[in-house]
Amino acid sequence: MKSWMLAVIVACNVQLVHKSLSSQINYHNIMFTIFSSPSLQNLAMYSGKLSTNCIVSPYSEITKHLLTDSSVTCHYQNYAHKSSFSEETWHKARTNPILKYFRSLKWTPIPIGLGFAIIAYQQFRHVTKREAAKLASSKSPTDLLASDFSVNMYTMLPLRAASRAWGWMFTLELPQPIRTPLLNLFISKYNCKLEEAIIDDVNHYKSLGDFFSRQLKKEARPIHPGKCLVSPSDGTILHFGRIENGLIEQVKGITYSLKSFLALKLANFEENQLITDEVYEKSLLQNKDNVLYHCVIYLAPGDYHKFHSPAEWTVHHRRHFHGELLSVCPGIVNWIAGLFNLNERVVYSGEWQHGFFSLTAVGATNVGSIRVYFDETLETNRKKCKKGTCEEMHFNPPVNVTEKGQPFGEFNLGSTIVLIFEAPKDINFNIAVGQKIKYGELLSFCNSHSML
């Protein structure tokens, strides 16, 4: 019976709280009375006194004394030994230097902004891996296009306001202490070759606008001679080739409408008359034996931001479309079908030696300002303008561009130039998709005699 009662007390595992010395003595007498009692009646009688004076624990000094008493069996003496072993282990754990170091560490709350940044970075990695896997497994270019919902969400961003803010920052004079470090950082990031500029002292450029519109040395951009088409700007060739059925190939397998892009009024048709894309294409040709070609050049932020005339031609008309300012970087161009038809753009059309010729400057994010030197009335990214509308202007007399490489205009930052021109069917392009090119370099020629 004593063993059973002892097991009950030990199993309770309740901490002893000694209130006073008299409580300890009282507890000692009560415990010996309980263990010497032949029945459980005394346990019930003294339970009230135990609960009011102290709390039983197998780790208290009195309990240890009871457990080591000679009247208690060896089984509980082993338990007492285990209890002592546990205390020693706990003591060693408390003095362990490694555990002590970890207990000394204090938790510091992470700022909410940093937490969101970490989540955003993880999400960006996840999306990047997902899109890379999608690109690798895709068999059709249309599988990679954005949905209408994604495009609508993208166009809801305040890109026009952000571009106007960038245009304002573009003209701010940089403080002297940060001017050189900031411009040097930009130069190193985008691998700009300042030695090609007439002024190669970075401290001379007071604003970002001054730096982006820097003038280059003539020997840095030699113009290819002969009757040929040259690049109007520095940049990367995104796409080029023949226009078929009135459709321009944006990327391989993805096209957009020539009629929607140029939206020029044709003399032989009424304004509201429905015209198919194929008929529109043929109506632009001045020589029915020729065909239409296109070439798209992307200007990255680090490229020279001015653009020049790619040929000797005459400008008759300007058509300014108010639209979006979506990014025109290659990744977005491959993602949104008909991107160039959505963005704000300025189409200059006329004729050259082979017939129809047009140069279109396409606006983009942070490139709301497009400046054309001979067209002082042009004002892009205005606050009060309705998307989807356009303005046009006829130049009377026409503007004659008398030489290739003649300065034509400039962007605030990198953007896109689209050339659409008429030429004979035997034209040869001297470029490749993805090729880096500089203004004045050869784009195409019709035959070997055109080089003379």
Side-chain angles (χ1 to χ4, degrees), residues 337-356:
L339 173 64
F340 298 135
N341 286 351
L342 297 175
N343 269 18
E344 181 172 12
R345 60 196 182 278
V346 185
V347 179
Y348 289 92
S349 59
E351 57 186 8
W352 72 320
Q353 59 175 331
H354 297 295
F356 176 81

Side-chain angles (χ1 to χ4, degrees), residues 26 57 127 136 146 149 167 211 216 237 249 263 271 283 290 295 300 317-318 363 390 419 424 431-432 441 446 452:
N26 183 31
S57 172
V127 171
F149 175 77
F211 177 75
L216 302 183
I237 303 295
E249 193 166 25
E271 183 175 355
S283 299
N290 291 342
C295 180
H317 182 262
R318 180 252 287 171
C390 66
L419 300 179
I431 51 179
E441 293 183 349
C446 298
L452 300 178

Side-chain angles (χ1 to χ4, degrees), residues 2 6 54 99 102 106 115 128 135 166 171 178 216-217 258-259 261 291 352 391 410 430 439:
K2 292 181 181 181
L6 181 60
C54 58
L99 296 178
F102 281 106
K106 295 182 179 180
T128 302
L135 181 63
W166 171 255
T171 59
I178 68 171
L216 302 183
K217 301 174 183 177
L258 171 66
K259 180 177 66 173
F261 182 76
V291 293
W352 72 320
E391 302 172 357
E410 63 183 59
N430 196 49
Y439 97 78

Side-chain angles (χ1 to χ4, degrees), residues 153-346:
M153 293 298 294
Y154 188 16
T155 55
M156 289 175 63
L157 297 175
L159 299 177
R160 298 184 65 87
S163 299
R164 283 192 292 269
W166 171 255
W168 172 74
M169 295 176 58
F170 192 79
T171 59
L172 287 180
E173 182 174 346
L174 298 173
Q176 190 66 35
I178 68 171
R179 182 184 304 171
T180 301
L182 181 62
L183 292 179
N184 283 332
L185 177 63
F186 185 89
I187 291 171
S188 61
K189 180 175 177 60
Y190 292 103
N191 194 27
C192 302
K193 296 181 180 180
L194 195 59
E195 63 272 12
E196 296 178 341
I198 295 177
I199 301 175
D200 56 3
D201 182 9
V202 69
N203 195 46
H204 174 81
Y205 300 101
K206 297 182 180 181
S207 66
L208 292 173
D210 289 343
F211 177 75
F212 293 150
S213 60
R214 62 191 181 277
Q215 293 185 354
L216 302 183
K217 301 174 183 177
K218 289 185 177 181
E219 58 270 22
R221 297 291 187 275
I223 307 300
H224 198 283
K227 298 292 183 179
C228 58
L229 189 68
V230 299
S231 175
S233 65
D234 291 7
T236 303
I237 303 295
L238 291 188
H239 211 276
F240 66 93
R242 180 175 174 176
I243 299 175
E244 297 181 354
N245 301 321
L247 300 176
I248 307 174
E249 193 166 25
Q250 180 173 320
V251 293
K252 187 176 181 179
I254 305 299
T255 60
Y256 59 98
S257 171
L258 171 66
K259 180 177 66 173
S260 300
F261 182 76
L262 294 178
L264 298 176
K265 296 179 181 179
L266 302 177
N268 298 330
F269 297 91
E270 297 180 2
E271 183 175 355
N272 297 327
Q273 184 176 353
L274 295 178
I275 307 173
T276 63
D277 291 324
E278 188 174 0
V279 172
Y280 186 88
E281 175 194 349
K282 293 180 178 180
S283 299
L284 292 176
L285 297 175
Q286 298 180 11
N287 186 342
K288 300 306 178 183
D289 294 330
N290 291 342
V291 293
L292 285 179
Y293 295 91
H294 79 285
C295 180
V296 182
I297 303 173
Y298 166 67
L299 288 75
D303 289 326
Y304 170 66
H305 292 144
K306 291 183 179 181
F307 52 96
H308 301 248
S309 177
E312 300 171 359
W313 64 301
T314 302
V315 184
H316 291 285
H317 182 262
R318 180 252 287 171
R319 198 170 181 89
H320 175 204
F321 296 86
H322 302 289
E324 307 290 346
L325 287 178
L326 309 180
S327 173
V328 293
C329 69
I332 301 298
V333 171
N334 295 342
W335 186 54
I336 299 179
L339 173 64
F340 298 135
N341 286 351
L342 297 175
N343 269 18
E344 181 172 12
R345 60 196 182 278
V346 185

Side-chain angles (χ1 to χ4, degrees), residues 362-402:
V362 182
T365 305
N366 296 336
V367 197
S369 176
I370 301 173
R371 180 186 175 193
V372 174
Y373 300 133
F374 63 83
D375 189 2
E376 297 180 356
T377 61
L378 175 66
E379 184 180 358
T380 57
N381 194 17
R382 299 198 302 267
K383 290 184 179 180
K384 296 181 179 180
C385 63
K386 186 178 180 181
K387 296 179 183 179
T389 62
C390 66
E391 302 172 357
E392 56 184 326
M393 177 179 180
H394 292 273
F395 297 101
N396 190 16
V399 178
N400 292 315
V401 181
T402 57

